[in-house]
Every structure is written in C-alpha cells, then in structure tokens.
Amino acid sequence: EIVLTQSPGTLSLSPGERATLSCRASQSVIGNYLAWYQQKPGQAPRLLIYDASSRTTGVPDRFSGSGSGTDFSLTITRLEPEDFAVYYCQQYGSSPETFGQGTKVEIK
Amino acid sequence: EAQVLESGGGLVYTGGSLRLSCTVSGLAFDTYTMSWVRQAPGKGLEWVSSIRGSGSGTYYPDSVKGRFTSSRDNSKNIVYLRMDSLRVEDTAIYYCARGRGYRNSWYYFDYWGQGTPVTVSS
C-alpha cells in the first residue's frame, strides 16, 4: 500500500501568514489522485481539494493544492483564524485508499 | 442539503459484534459509493470499507477484511457496517462518507457524517 508522509507534523504560524503543507508518497500516486481534508476538534473531516488541485465547492480560494507523482502540497496563502486545524492528505489512485498522518496548523 | 447520519456505536467486548447504520438524505443515494472511515482516539484517518451504489461491489482493507461487512438498502437510503470479531484496536469514531471517484480510480470522500463512537474493551 502507498504510505503518505506529511510534514511538518506541526506548523506554528500567525494569522495572515502563508502555510505550506507537504505530502510525500512512498510511490507514485496514479492519476495524481490526491485529496486534502481539514479537520477541527470534535468535527468530521471536510474535503478541501481533490485531484491534487481542484477545490471543492465552497472552499475559499486562499486554499490551493499542487504537485504530482510523489510530491504534493497544500498552500494557504493568508491564514484566517478558522484555518487553524489538522490537515490530512489522502491518495485514491490505488487500493487501499490511504491517508497521511496529518499536519496540525496551530496559532503561534 | 445533504445529510449523513451515523448510529449504532457503543461499547462492546473483544470478539463481539456491532452493526452501524448510516442514513443519507439530500443525495442521489443509489448512484454513489458509500464508505466508512474510522479514526482511533487521537490518531489519523483509516478507510475501512466502500460499497458501490448498486451494492454489487464491496471493498475492504486487509485490517478488517473477513470481519467487517458493508451492505446497503437503497429503498431506505441506508448503508450498514456489520463488524464481527471486534478487537481493542477497532476502537474509533466511525464516519460514514460518500465516495467519489472515476473509472480508473478509487474514492475520495466529499460528504461526511459526524461519526459514531465504537469502544471495544477487553
């Protein structure tokens, strides 16, 4: 199965700053089928990005996804207070679908 | 508005069984794959099952294969997860989610329920 490694484990930033989260796959992700989710405490995950770079409906354009093959990233251009959360990547090009271990974006 | 609502979680002892239910409204239920994803306390996300819209195809990771069974009743917009031979490591919040994908892919998950907790105790 494909192992996804997210870095850093924790990102400490201030509102208004730029956040760049990394997701590295143990082998190439077929079709660049990679998604990003946001999860806040006590809540279900929320889909942000699919197909590596497509934003789902209602997601602000400060969120963007990029990458291909084994290296992907999620960028939040200007952090808003509601963006502090845990972010997971997930690949769905191969079975089993697998998730990264998460990156926590916390307020500095 | 789409709504996904899980139920059926609770406390069970090792080796026991539990059946989770997921009721969906506001979506074309029988058109889409439905999946279960779990999250152990303080841990990340793990996919545990998917069932195609027609119910003809079911998929599981090795960690639950042979112990978990997913089924659906399209007349009631409900998907089920039957969990047998439960282990302590199955303790988690179980989320029901709609799976989306393509002919040459597996699934990402766009609509999620709030989850139902399952605790397996020895």
Side-chain angles (χ1 to χ4, degrees):
Chain A
E1 73 178 48
I2 294 179
V3 176
L4 299 178
T5 302
Q6 293 186 241
S7 61
T10 302
L11 201 49
S12 298
L13 294 168
S14 300
E17 289 193 294
R18 180 187 186 95
T20 302
L21 288 64
S22 172
C23 176
R24 178 162 291 179
S26 60
Q27 55 189 279
S28 186
V29 176
I30 293 171
N32 297 323
Y33 289 133
L34 189 112
W36 289 93
Y37 302 85
Q38 176 193 67
Q39 187 178 34
K40 297 179 181 179
Q43 296 185 18
R46 171 196 179 198
L47 175 68
L48 299 175
I49 302 286
Y50 62 97
D51 295 352
S53 61
S54 296
R55 258 189 317 275
T56 198
T57 304
V59 172
D61 60 7
R62 62 181 181 273
F63 290 91
S64 64
S66 63
S68 64
T70 60
D71 290 299
F72 298 87
S73 62
L74 174 72
T75 300
I76 311 170
T77 51
R78 292 173 310 279
L79 281 164
E80 298 287 340
E82 60 268 28
D83 299 335
F84 292 92
V86 178
Y87 293 83
Y88 295 96
C89 58
Q90 177 231 339
Q91 68 81 26
Y92 49 101
S94 304
S95 185
E97 295 94 314
T98 49
F99 292 85
Q101 83 281 15
T103 289
K104 181 180 182 180
V105 179
E106 66 176 21
I107 299 176
K108 186 175 181 179
Chain B
E1 182 182 346
Q3 286 196 322
V4 179
L5 184 64
E6 304 93 338
S7 61
L11 173 64
V12 64
Y13 293 97
T14 53
S17 299
L18 208 57
R19 190 181 78 163
L20 307 182
S21 300
C22 171
T23 303
V24 180
S25 60
L27 297 173
F29 182 74
D30 58 356
T31 304
Y32 292 102
T33 291
M34 294 299 297
S35 302
W36 292 90
V37 176
R38 69 184 180 185
Q39 186 169 36
K43 301 298 183 182
L45 301 166
E46 180 188 13
W47 165 72
V48 294
S49 79
S50 292
I51 182 168
R52 288 188 181 272
S54 63
S56 61
T58 53
Y59 311 95
Y60 311 93
D62 287 345
S63 58
V64 307
K65 195 175 293 182
R67 301 188 300 121
F68 288 14
T69 304
S70 187
S71 61
R72 63 193 295 162
D73 184 340
N74 286 346
S75 69
K76 297 180 180 178
N77 283 18
I78 298 178
V79 61
Y80 302 101
L81 184 67
R82 168 77 180 191
M83 304 184 295
D84 295 316
S85 302
L86 282 162
R87 306 167 180 169
V88 171
E89 55 264 35
D90 295 319
T91 295
I93 295 175
Y94 284 73
Y95 294 102
C96 178
R98 186 174 77 167
R100 300 296 304 276
Y102 311 100
R103 189 178 297 275
N104 65 338
S105 80
W106 295 91
Y107 304 104
Y108 64 93
F109 312 108
D110 58 353
Y111 288 102
W112 297 64
Q114 285 305 302
T116 187
V118 172
T119 301
V120 184
S121 177
S122 58

